[in-house]
Amino acid sequence: MGKGSLSEEDIKAQYITPAVTDAGWDLKRQVRMEYAFTAGRIILRGSMTARGRKKRADYVLFYKTNFPLAIIEAKDNRQPVGAGLQQAIDYAKALDISYVYASNGDAFVEQNLITGEVSELPLHAFPSPEELYDRYLRDKNISAAEEQVMLEPYYYVPQYKTPRYYQRIAINRTVDAVARGQKRVLLVSATGTGKTYMTFQMIYRLWKSGLKKKILFLADRNVLVDQTMSGDFKPFGGKMTKVQNKNLDSSYEIYLALYQQLTGENGEETFRQFQPSFFDLIVIDECHRGSAKEESAWRKILDYFSSATHIGCTATPIETQDASSFSYFGEPIYEYSLKQGIDDGFLAPYKVIRIGLDKDLEGYRPEAGKVDTYGNEIEDREYNVKDFDRTLVIDDRTRVVAAKITEFLQKTDRMSKTIVFCIDIEHAERMRQALIQANQDLYAQNHRYIMRITGDNDEGKAQLENFIDEESPYPVIAVTSKLMTTGVDAKMCKLIVLENNINSMTEFKQIIGRGTRLLEEYGKTYFTIMDFRNSSRLFADPAFDGRPEVVIDLDQDDPVDDPEAGYPEPEGGDEGTRENPPGYGSGAGNSTDDGEQEKPRKYYIGDVAVTVLSERVQYVGQDGKLITESLIDYTKKNILQHYARLDDFLRSWSQAEKKQAIIDELQERGVWLDAVRAELGDNELDDFDLICHLAYDKPPLTKKERAEQVKKRHYLYQYSDIAQQVIEGLLNKYANDGIKEIEDTKVLMLKEFAQMGSPMKIIKAFGGKEAYLKAVQELKNEIYYA
């Protein structure tokens, strides 16, 4: 048998794998075949989810664990030797691998992605691990000192997690940059992608190698420090301390601290207890916050320890006139976006329910002389959604929002962890009360069913850990304003309610990030965003999944180098945990010294009705944008993109050895037929008929109707005895459960076939396995004959 008749798998087994192992690569420790580096995008339609196909490289060659050097893509011998090169390059760029190979079993084509050089090698000339590693050191101009740090292994013990591909890239690039002497490093990675784990591995390798000995981890919220210490940083054990009570103990090596613990009055700041050279590495968590501002008291900490290497980590770098992540840290060493995380299947996809209330869409203007609940005359002007709950409160609006949230939970799961983001603390308290009123039954069972978790509420803040804990059922609904926008690792959050006005892209990304974490073992594969304020319009903003432009203050005589750069949005609403302006909670107006009544901070109205005008469900598509069309229209469009004409589909269907393969392929393209079936309320249609009906307007037949047609054509009578009983049993199985159920020989193990004999006896009745499979294939053709 010649090479030309061999499959790709045969080429790999007989030619490529032997060439690799003959070159000295250890098949068990250094060679990973069919290397899956994504999890497969989660496809969401309705309330149903399915996994798409994983991205797989034929071979990835590792010099050391988590240090990949080369990638190989194989093709069968009917294709040119370099046919797989471009695919290999795409994978290599995603995996940050420098040497790329393609082969059809005749030779290797090699491309060096560092130098760009392309060459062809005989099979016997494939480089050894040491040859390729030495070339890497030369190509990258890596010194002996840098090499020592680069080869420092990751922290690992049995059963400990290993880094995903993007985590490995982020860790390796950061460690390499620090080893080369880079003093400021920025890492941008979407919420839910494991920044704390990446931070731990970076610190561990730099510390273990001896390059960095005294390390400070800075955050601005207690929950971020506590989660870090008890979670990813736990292996540091006795070498680690949390700075408390403004006392610094120099005997530790890893310090975790809040900015607030280190600051103080000018000249008496706590951080001055240490010499400026004490720390040689500082890692700043959520570095888009206070430390990004040049005039911030928190920036003084970084300026004081300026000789240390500073690594900033964030999901949302900030660029405004007042604060800049890029200007301080420089260009990101690596970026991994929300869109990429969803596409790879590591983050949860989402659907958006936009709810339009009449007063929000039409506005509200009080009649002349109208007074509010507290007797204050309401200023005569048009009020809109930007005013509601900030300057004017309509009680019925709060009630309607609470009712819609409750309605959604009742239709899905009333124990789904939910975060409701409000305008301020006062709004959050009113929303809490309205939600209790709408959920009296569950609140009576456990008062923690609904909790206000805001900066001023100690009882609520004490329940934050329980809300985060996937094992703890309570609290279920957390009502907040600013406190939970950042760093709260609420993996089980399935519903995010936007009841606040969001103009900051940074804040928007942080809020959406509360739902992006996946927890499949607990049933969380997607989340829902319920938007009452049209904040989800920001999904359409090009900046949503991109990077903000750097904003630099220019003097009068400075040239403007980039006149086409857009104007940034103001980044208001991201100032720590200040959730209410002065005067919080004052309903009635306050008297001035001269007896005049001040205008109240908010007007309260109890006699204006609010109704829902519109409700629309949208899904995130494969391009990261929201899909606004109906599920049926979207499904039809996707089918037609793959099969433009009915004849194209029929040809593929008839030629497919397994019909389910076509359904699986369409599903990966976003065609989720079970969701369509649920929306239509018709479970009797076969996948084939549903596709033909949706995409090509063909009248459908039910599965039972197709089975009956086969029987009427006397198809069964060509078989005798047991074989006829089996074919009839398969036909009945199809009528009840669909084509997928009869395509696997395991169907013969079901109880309905047990009375006909064992699977072996049944197959013998057809003359062997090949004859049985042929009979099943003919039956499928007969089913779809009409």
Side-chain angles (χ1 to χ4, degrees):
M1 183 182 292
K3 278 187 185 179
S5 60
L6 296 178
S7 68
E8 181 181 306
E9 289 305 311
D10 290 333
I11 291 292
K12 287 158 68 175
Q14 296 182 33
Y15 296 96
I16 299 175
T17 302
V20 170
T21 55
D22 288 348
W25 293 88
D26 188 309
L27 202 57
K28 291 183 178 179
R29 294 189 305 108
Q30 293 179 302
V31 180
R32 298 188 193 176
M33 300 175 66
E34 289 298 309
Y35 178 72
F37 58 93
T38 69
R41 179 188 178 87
I42 292 179
I43 301 161
L44 167 64
R45 293 294 174 265
S47 58
M48 302 177 187
T49 58
R51 281 280 187 186
R53 185 177 299 169
K54 297 178 180 180
K55 291 182 180 178
R56 297 179 186 272
D58 288 336
Y59 298 78
V60 176
L61 308 184
F62 289 78
Y63 180 66
K64 299 285 186 184
T65 303
N66 291 310
F67 183 8
L69 267 181
I71 191 168
I72 306 172
E73 277 300 309
K75 298 296 178 185
D76 61 54
N77 198 252
R78 292 180 293 276
Q79 301 187 56
V81 63
L85 193 63
Q86 187 56 58
Q87 182 181 355
I89 290 171
D90 290 343
Y91 286 168
K93 287 186 178 297
L95 293 169
D96 213 25
I97 292 175
S98 300
Y99 303 102
V100 174
Y101 297 86
S103 179
N104 65 352
D106 289 339
F108 289 102
V109 172
E110 176 194 76
Q111 184 159 349
N112 182 331
L113 297 185
I114 303 171
T115 65
E117 181 183 0
V118 181
S119 57
E120 185 168 316
L121 308 173
L123 289 178
H124 65 79
F126 194 82
S128 70
E130 292 302 328
E131 288 173 338
L132 204 55
Y133 175 65
D134 288 343
R135 192 194 309 177
Y136 179 82
L137 295 179
R138 293 193 304 272
D139 289 343
K140 287 280 194 177
N141 195 26
I142 294 171
S143 69
E146 292 166 15
E147 181 187 5
Q148 180 185 347
V149 180
M150 183 181 74
L151 291 180
E152 182 64 42
Y154 284 61
Y155 173 83
Y156 183 77
V157 293
Q159 309 304 315
Y160 191 71
K161 55 191 172 186
T162 55
R164 295 167 176 165
Y165 84 91
Y166 64 86
Q167 293 172 333
R168 173 186 55 76
I169 296 170
I171 296 162
N172 288 356
R173 284 193 184 180
T174 303
V175 169
D176 293 351
V178 174
R180 289 194 306 270
Q182 189 169 325
K183 301 295 288 183
R184 302 289 181 265
V185 181
L186 177 63
L187 171 64
V188 178
S189 192
T191 301
T193 54
K195 286 192 296 298
T196 309
Y197 169 74
M198 290 186 260
T199 299
F200 163 71
Q201 290 287 12
M202 292 170 203
I203 293 175
Y204 178 83
R205 291 178 61 197
L206 292 168
W207 172 67
K208 199 72 175 174
S209 69
L211 185 64
K212 302 296 180 183
K213 296 180 175 62
K214 294 285 188 177
I215 298 158
L216 173 63
F217 176 89
L218 271 177
D220 68 344
R221 293 185 180 177
N222 247 317
V223 65
L224 299 179
V225 172
D226 293 341
Q227 282 179 180
T228 300
M229 288 191 71
S230 61
D232 288 303
F233 278 36
K234 194 173 183 179
F236 284 133
K239 303 290 185 181
M240 170 178 63
T241 186
K242 177 183 176 182
V243 176
Q244 299 185 78
N245 303 320
K246 296 188 179 291
N247 292 320
L248 301 184
D249 183 343
S250 62
S251 63
Y252 291 94
E253 296 177 55
I254 314 292
Y255 294 77
L256 292 88
L258 297 174
Y259 289 102
Q260 298 92 319
Q261 289 284 357
L262 297 181
T263 54
E265 295 299 322
N266 282 339
E268 298 182 6
E269 295 94 342
T270 306
F271 59 77
R272 296 184 187 277
Q273 295 178 33
F274 286 152
Q275 292 297 314
S277 60
F278 182 80
F279 292 112
D280 45 25
L281 174 64
I282 300 178
V283 177
I284 304 97
D285 192 40
E286 305 292 356
C287 68
H288 64 282
R289 297 180 66 79
S291 61
K293 291 193 173 185
E294 289 188 30
E295 302 305 319
S296 167
W298 297 354
R299 176 67 76 84
K300 291 181 181 179
I301 301 170
L302 302 185
D303 292 341
Y304 182 77
F305 298 111
S306 60
S307 62
T309 299
H310 296 175
I311 299 175
C313 301
T314 182
T316 52
I318 187 171
E319 292 303 320
T320 71
Q321 298 286 354
D322 301 317
S324 171
S325 301
F326 296 160
S327 296
Y328 183 79
F329 290 100
E331 289 293 306
I333 197 81
Y334 185 63
E335 294 179 83
Y336 189 75
S337 68
L338 171 64
K339 178 179 178 293
Q340 188 64 50
I342 293 175
D343 196 48
D344 286 344
F346 296 125
L347 295 179
Y350 50 85
K351 61 181 176 181
V352 178
I353 302 174
R354 285 182 173 174
I355 297 175
L357 306 179
D358 61 342
K359 298 300 182 289
D360 294 1
L361 299 175
E362 298 169 355
Y364 166 73
R365 183 170 183 176
E367 58 269 26
K370 184 174 178 63
V371 295
D372 75 353
T373 303
Y374 296 99
N376 301 300
E377 184 173 341
I378 302 171
E379 182 183 353
D380 181 18
R381 66 177 179 86
E382 176 108 354
Y383 294 87
N384 57 37
V385 70
K386 293 181 179 179
D387 299 301
F388 297 143
D389 299 295
R390 185 169 294 281
T391 58
L392 183 140
V393 174
I394 301 177
D395 288 341
D396 199 48
R397 188 185 180 285
T398 310
R399 181 195 64 79
V400 169
V401 170
K404 293 304 293 183
I405 295 170
T406 303
E407 177 189 325
F408 175 82
L409 291 173
Q410 287 173 337
K411 288 180 178 178
T412 53
D413 176 9
R414 295 185 74 186
M415 298 304 290
S416 291
K417 297 271 183 163
T418 300
I419 305 177
V420 184
F421 288 97
C422 297
I423 293 288
D424 55 27
I425 290 175
E426 186 272 341
H427 181 206
E429 176 55 29
R430 284 188 293 101
M431 184 59 65
R432 184 188 75 89
Q433 294 173 23
L435 284 165
I436 290 172
Q437 191 67 24
N439 295 274
Q440 294 180 44
D441 54 342
L442 294 186
Y443 186 79
Q445 292 176 24
N446 192 312
H447 76 282
R448 293 186 299 152
Y449 180 74
I450 301 163
M451 297 289 294
R452 172 164 65 88
I453 302 179
T454 50
D456 71 327
N457 186 273
D458 291 338
E459 183 184 10
K461 286 192 292 186
Q463 291 298 321
L464 186 55
E465 285 297 323
N466 289 326
F467 183 80
I468 291 168
D469 185 3
E470 53 265 27
E471 298 285 353
S472 177
Y474 297 101
V476 175
I477 302 175
V479 188
T480 189
S481 56
K482 296 289 183 198
L483 184 63
M484 297 177 71
T485 58
T486 297
V488 177
D489 192 15
K491 293 186 179 72
M492 280 303 291
C493 179
K494 292 184 178 180
L495 176 63
I496 290 174
V497 180
L498 303 180
E499 217 337 53
N500 52 348
N501 299 318
I502 306 173
N503 294 313
S504 159
M505 183 60 75
T506 298
E507 184 181 11
F508 181 65
K509 287 182 178 181
Q510 288 289 341
I511 287 174
I512 298 308
R514 299 314 103 207
T516 55
R517 290 161 172 84
L518 272 173
L519 212 64
E520 292 178 87
E521 61 269 34
Y522 287 86
K524 189 205 169 177
T525 54
Y526 71 95
F527 69 105
T528 302
I529 299 163
M530 183 176 281
D531 181 12
F532 290 93
R533 303 268 178 162
N534 197 28
S535 295
S536 54
R537 72 191 184 282
L538 293 172
F539 283 121
D541 191 313
F544 174 69
D545 202 37
R547 286 165 45 191
E549 296 293 330
V550 176
V551 179
I552 302 172
D553 289 321
L554 300 178
D555 292 332
Q556 182 176 352
D557 299 326
D558 288 337
V560 179
D561 294 325
D562 186 11
E564 297 180 358
Y567 292 98
E569 289 181 326
E571 295 287 337
D574 200 28
E575 291 295 312
T577 58
R578 185 184 182 194
E579 301 177 85
N580 270 328
Y584 153 58
S586 55
N590 299 317
S591 297
T592 61
D593 292 339
D594 58 8
E596 290 186 10
Q597 196 76 2
E598 281 185 350
K599 187 173 73 170
R601 192 173 68 80
K602 294 184 183 183
Y603 297 109
Y604 294 82
I605 303 175
D607 57 355
V608 172
V610 174
T611 59
V612 175
L613 282 189
S614 63
E615 188 168 339
R616 181 172 57 169
V617 179
Q618 298 173 299
Y619 300 90
V620 60
Q622 287 187 302
D623 59 359
K625 296 179 180 178
L626 289 177
I627 300 161
T628 57
E629 57 206 322
S630 72
L631 176 60
I632 291 174
D633 288 343
Y634 177 73
T635 302
K636 177 177 180 178
K637 183 180 76 174
N638 273 8
I639 294 171
L640 291 174
Q641 281 179 347
H642 198 46
Y643 300 106
R645 298 179 302 131
L646 176 61
D647 288 347
D648 298 332
F649 172 69
L650 294 177
R651 189 181 308 111
S652 294
W653 187 267
S654 63
Q655 292 174 355
E657 185 177 338
K658 287 197 173 184
K659 313 304 181 189
Q660 188 60 33
I662 290 180
I663 304 305
D664 291 343
E665 185 179 5
L666 285 172
Q667 187 169 289
E668 289 173 11
R669 296 173 178 270
V671 176
W672 193 216
L673 296 176
D674 285 343
V676 175
R677 215 178 260 110
E679 184 161 310
L680 293 174
D682 191 343
N683 290 317
E684 297 304 315
L685 291 186
D686 180 273
D687 288 336
F688 172 86
D689 283 282
L690 189 55
I691 290 169
C692 290
H693 179 57
L694 284 177
Y696 311 107
D697 298 321
K698 292 295 179 183
L701 295 174
T702 65
K703 296 189 292 288
K704 286 184 170 59
E705 286 172 340
R706 286 197 172 277
E708 285 302 316
Q709 285 192 356
V710 174
K711 292 177 181 178
K712 287 177 183 177
R713 292 196 292 269
H714 304 293
Y715 174 76
L716 302 179
Y717 297 129
Q718 65 177 293
Y719 297 99
S720 59
D721 302 331
I722 294 177
Q724 185 179 124
Q725 294 177 44
V726 172
I727 293 296
E728 185 171 10
L730 291 172
L731 198 56
N732 291 334
K733 189 70 178 168
Y734 160 78
N736 291 322
D737 301 315
I739 199 69
K740 180 180 179 180
E741 296 302 316
I742 71 172
E743 291 195 311
D744 195 322
T745 54
K746 290 180 181 178
V747 70
L748 300 179
M749 300 172 68
L750 299 176
K751 61 181 180 180
E752 43 265 64
F753 295 95
Q755 60 188 11
M756 305 173 196
S758 67
M760 186 69 72
K761 180 181 177 182
I762 290 173
I763 287 174
K764 280 185 178 179
F766 285 88
K769 186 174 181 179
E770 286 191 16
Y772 168 77
L773 294 175
K774 182 180 178 184
V776 173
Q777 192 65 39
E778 290 174 353
L779 175 61
K780 290 189 289 185
N781 292 338
E782 194 68 22
I783 287 171
Y784 297 110
Y785 176 76

